[in-house]
Amino acid sequence: MGIVRGLLERRQRLNQSSGSDAPRWLVELFGGGIPTHSGVVVNENNAMTFPAVFAAVRVLAESVASLPLITYQRIEPRGKTRVVGHPLYSLLHDAPNPEMTAMQFRETQMAHLLLWGNSYAQIITAGGRPVELWPLRPDRMKPKRIKGTNRLAYDYEIKDGGTEEFDQTEILHIRGLAFDGLIGYSPIHLAKQAIGLGMAAEQFGAEWFGNGAHPSGVLEHPNHLTDEAHRRLKDSWNGQHRGPGNANSTAILEEGMKWTAIGIPPGDSQFLETRKFQLQEIARIYRIPPHMLGDLSQATFSNIEQQSLDFVTNSLMPWLQRIEQQIELQLLLPSERKTIFVEHLVNGLLRGDAAARAAFYDAGFDRGWLSPNDIREMENLNPRTDSEGDTYYVPLNMVPAEDAGKVQQGKGSGSEPAPGDDPNQGDPKDPQAGDQQNSLRSARAQQEDRTAEHRRRLARAHLPMFRDAVQRIVGREVADIERLMRKHLTT
């Protein structure tokens, strides 16, 4: 009895903690987790059996993992270019290890972050460069700070029951929300009451329908029953009337017995409202629009697109920033951090509908910061092969901002120049006026050049149309002449 009592006390201590201080096999043996007021024990593993939690983790993990993670190099004075030849590019974009694709690895990484609040991966290096990344289970990892230093170490529980210690340079550790900056908080632990209530409501519904969708009750017998008769009567009743296969079966009561229903019907306990609210609670915990978890009660045609954009900016971006910055801190050489960086491509998620994209492209094309090939690339189309695919166009009535005041000053207020004033020549005694006139002539010359180029571009664009029109006109004339010749020459 002392051994059993000791094991039960040990299980109670495991339930009162998150299980990180106990061996994992012992936690799993006694169903260790976090007790809740609903009576359901919640931990990071069984929380995934609650559909709302599973959907939230899946939405965020798959969304982050499906985004391309690109390694860039900064270009002076501004800009960036992909560095496909960098060792980190293929590690993040293609495959982090021989057994996993980039999406599988980052999906696992995000699932660990969303459940445990921490993600760990072993870094395998060669020649000082990371060449492989292997995910490690967060429930087996215990970070610690080395006494007397500012360095970290990680104790990892291996399958045979022992532990293996890793240096901080060997572990890629991405943290969620954390007050000490060392270990991220588990969202499951913080939201245990909400998750436990949802799981309890789901369990209640399963048992309700498993009982034939009837409330529980008692059988009243007018006489006293022995223990054996009580047991046989209970087993007989449950065998004939419990379970969905026995729903709506006819009960026959003998010897003056009477059935009395007890319990609260689901309608009176607002069962469906409770389940719906707990789904919204999980959406609130993970900051996900409810429609992405299947709740369309607040979604309309006018706001669902905005909710999807809000999901990118407010739900995904904080996670993407955490991942990118930690990768740059631990997987790049200190000498590379000023010029090399990693970034997730989210442009595809922010594109909007066809009308919004068309307005965006029109504005960029008209203002000269988007070329035809830029637009085609963002629409996942092949570039144009002619010389104008990479040309940037601007309106003809626009001049550089620094020349706007000079052109306006040259135009004056609309009055005629004073007698003897030559608008094309400045005052030789005023060098500043001469510079202004030269700048004015330069602006005018640039505008004339743009006008001439526009005319040439229009001519090139419309030349095939004019050529086709002329050919059709000449063809009709030739046909008419031939018809008249055949008509008159025969007589």
Side-chain angles (χ1 to χ4, degrees):
M1 291 298 294
I3 297 177
V4 174
R5 186 180 300 107
L7 290 175
L8 291 177
E9 292 175 354
R10 178 59 175 167
R11 175 181 178 179
Q12 183 178 7
R13 289 194 298 270
L14 289 174
N15 285 338
Q16 292 173 352
S17 66
S18 62
S20 59
D21 296 331
R24 182 172 175 271
W25 66 268
L26 189 57
V27 175
E28 294 178 348
L29 176 64
F30 289 102
I34 309 167
T36 63
H37 297 305
S38 62
V40 178
V41 175
V42 177
N43 57 46
E44 288 80 1
N45 292 310
N46 71 359
M48 287 287 282
T49 63
F50 186 40
V53 174
F54 177 81
V57 172
R58 182 180 178 184
V59 165
L60 284 170
E62 291 181 350
S63 298
V64 172
S66 62
L67 295 175
L69 183 54
I70 307 300
T71 305
Y72 291 102
Q73 182 177 9
R74 292 183 175 88
I75 302 176
E76 294 297 338
R78 59 185 181 184
K80 60 184 179 182
T81 182
R82 296 190 183 194
V83 281
V84 182
H86 195 279
L88 196 59
Y89 187 95
S90 60
L91 193 67
L92 300 177
H93 184 270
D94 301 325
N97 59 66
E99 297 180 1
M100 306 178 73
T101 64
M103 179 168 181
Q104 291 171 341
F105 172 79
R106 291 193 287 132
E107 187 179 36
T108 303
Q109 178 188 52
M110 272 302 300
H112 290 171
L113 276 171
L114 296 168
L115 294 173
W116 282 274
N118 297 274
S119 169
Y120 303 95
Q122 183 182 3
I123 306 173
I124 307 298
T125 59
R129 293 277 190 183
V131 293
E132 291 181 6
L133 296 174
W134 292 90
L136 300 174
R137 288 186 60 97
D139 53 346
R140 296 181 180 179
M141 185 69 77
K142 184 178 181 181
K144 63 181 181 181
R145 192 172 299 279
I146 301 177
K147 188 176 182 180
T149 68
N150 292 326
R151 298 187 61 81
L152 297 176
Y154 295 86
D155 290 335
Y156 187 68
E157 182 182 345
I158 55 181
K159 292 184 178 180
D160 61 2
T163 59
E164 182 177 357
E165 184 177 283
F166 294 95
D167 185 72
Q168 66 179 17
T169 59
E170 300 177 288
I171 298 296
L172 175 62
H173 183 189
I174 301 175
R175 305 166 180 83
L177 177 65
F179 287 159
D180 60 358
L182 178 61
I183 304 176
Y185 284 117
S186 167
I188 304 300
H189 178 83
L190 296 179
K192 60 182 182 294
Q193 299 297 345
I195 298 173
L197 177 57
M199 295 174 68
E202 187 178 52
Q203 182 178 352
F204 170 80
E207 293 178 352
W208 166 261
F209 286 102
N211 196 34
H214 290 291
S216 58
V218 296
L219 284 172
E220 299 181 23
H221 196 280
N223 300 320
H224 177 74
L225 296 176
T226 64
D227 293 341
E228 179 64 19
H230 181 276
R231 182 185 62 79
R232 286 189 290 105
L233 178 60
K234 181 179 179 181
D235 292 343
S236 175
W237 179 269
N238 289 336
Q240 296 180 17
H241 303 287
R242 187 174 185 178
N246 296 322
N248 301 317
S249 60
T250 303
I252 299 176
L253 302 179
E254 300 177 332
E255 298 181 359
M257 287 191 299
K258 183 174 65 173
W259 164 262
T260 303
I262 61 175
I264 303 176
D268 295 342
S269 63
Q270 296 185 324
F271 171 67
L272 294 178
E273 290 81 357
T274 300
R275 296 204 64 191
K276 181 179 178 180
F277 182 78
Q278 290 314 113
L279 184 146
Q280 296 174 354
E281 281 282 82
I282 302 304
R284 187 178 297 112
I285 293 167
Y286 285 105
R287 199 159 54 182
I288 296 177
H291 78 271
M292 303 192 76
L293 300 185
D295 181 9
L296 300 177
S297 59
Q298 302 298 324
T300 64
F301 287 107
S302 60
N303 70 6
I304 195 167
E305 180 184 352
Q306 189 59 42
Q307 290 187 52
S308 299
L309 296 177
D310 180 76
F311 169 71
V312 177
T313 56
N314 294 324
S315 301
L316 290 184
M317 291 304 295
W319 291 112
L320 301 183
Q321 287 287 332
R322 283 189 177 96
I323 295 172
E324 292 167 1
Q325 293 182 5
Q326 198 66 35
I327 288 176
E328 294 170 5
L329 178 64
Q330 292 194 250
L331 300 185
L332 287 176
L333 299 177
S335 59
E336 295 178 326
R337 293 172 191 164
K338 293 183 178 181
T339 57
I340 305 295
F341 67 98
V342 298
E343 186 178 29
H344 292 85
L345 298 184
V346 297
N347 294 340
L349 299 178
L350 297 173
R351 283 171 38 170
D353 57 15
R357 297 202 310 272
F360 171 76
Y361 296 148
D362 285 343
F365 185 81
D366 291 343
R367 295 298 180 268
W369 49 271
L370 281 180
S371 69
N373 281 344
D374 292 337
I375 298 174
R376 295 181 65 85
E377 183 178 1
M378 285 188 285
E379 286 295 307
N380 199 26
L381 299 174
N382 292 329
R384 289 171 50 174
T385 57
D386 56 7
S387 59
E388 296 187 3
D390 294 314
T391 303
Y392 295 87
Y393 299 93
V394 294
L396 291 177
N397 60 345
M398 299 179 66
V399 296
E402 60 269 17
D403 295 334
K406 303 172 185 176
V407 174
Q408 185 66 27
Q409 184 178 359
K411 292 180 180 180
S413 60
S415 61
E416 296 295 331
D421 291 346
D422 186 356
N424 295 323
Q425 295 182 358
D427 186 357
K429 297 180 181 180
D430 188 356
Q432 184 177 1
D435 293 340
Q436 293 177 353
Q437 293 295 335
N438 292 333
S439 299
L440 177 60
R441 285 195 296 271
S442 175
R444 288 176 176 172
Q446 293 177 7
Q447 187 172 0
E448 291 174 357
D449 291 341
R450 287 195 295 269
T451 302
E453 174 61 27
H454 179 66
R455 291 171 179 167
R456 290 191 292 269
R457 187 167 65 248
L458 289 176
R460 290 194 300 269
H462 294 88
L463 184 59
M465 181 182 65
F466 286 119
R467 183 183 295 113
D468 183 65
V470 170
Q471 289 176 352
R472 290 199 303 271
I473 294 173
V474 172
R476 284 197 298 267
E477 292 292 335
V478 171
D480 290 342
I481 293 173
E482 290 179 348
R483 180 176 53 80
L484 292 174
M485 288 175 60
R486 288 192 298 270
K487 177 179 179 181
H488 293 288
L489 290 178
T490 56
T491 59

